[in-house]
Amino acid sequence: MSQLSTHVLDTALGKPAGGVVIRLEFQFADGWEIIGEGQTDADGRLKDLLPVPLEAGHYRLTAEIGQYFAATSRETLYPTAQIDFVIPEGGGHYHLPFLISPWSWSTYRGS
């Protein structure tokens, strides 16, 4: 079983991105299903996305960054940022942050 954490940083402003809706999906045999959803806090973190550990499998973590930029009166090229990832058996801890700006976004596996 694995743990997942995330946060969103607005690199254009150099600060955490609060109020970003985050959704976690799992790929079952018949398609994708939302298994967790929440909103980042003032520190850009979502601490209670999923209360149980993740099993091995294929996941998608989506940040609704278009809504965030609209709320801060900025245009953006990307309405969503999505991390598509696989957790192997015995996975461990996965920290997958979103680094966003109005014209780009990126991620990495943190600790």
Side-chain angles (χ1 to χ4, degrees):
M1 299 286 220
S2 299
Q3 295 291 326
L4 176 69
S5 60
T6 189
H7 71 277
V8 183
L9 300 171
D10 185 332
T11 59
L13 298 179
K15 66 178 194 174
V20 177
V21 173
I22 304 283
R23 181 176 56 257
L24 179 64
E25 297 170 275
F26 182 79
Q27 186 176 35
F28 291 94
D30 59 345
W32 292 96
E33 183 177 315
I34 296 172
I35 60 170
E37 193 168 26
Q39 191 169 347
T40 59
D41 61 17
D43 194 34
R45 297 184 182 277
L46 180 55
K47 297 179 176 130
D48 58 355
L49 179 60
L50 201 60
V52 297
L54 299 175
E55 296 183 16
H58 190 177
Y59 294 86
R60 289 192 304 210
L61 188 63
T62 304
E64 298 294 338
I65 61 176
Q67 295 172 358
Y68 166 78
F69 287 118
T72 57
S73 301
R74 294 182 285 166
E75 291 183 19
T76 183
L77 180 62
Y78 301 104
T80 61
Q82 187 175 83
I83 304 169
D84 189 326
F85 63 102
V86 175
I87 294 182
E89 289 292 332
H93 179 78
Y94 288 79
H95 180 67
L96 303 176
F98 292 91
L99 306 175
I100 64 170
S101 78
W103 309 113
S104 68
W105 74 270
S106 65
T107 189
Y108 60 92
R109 182 180 176 188
S111 55

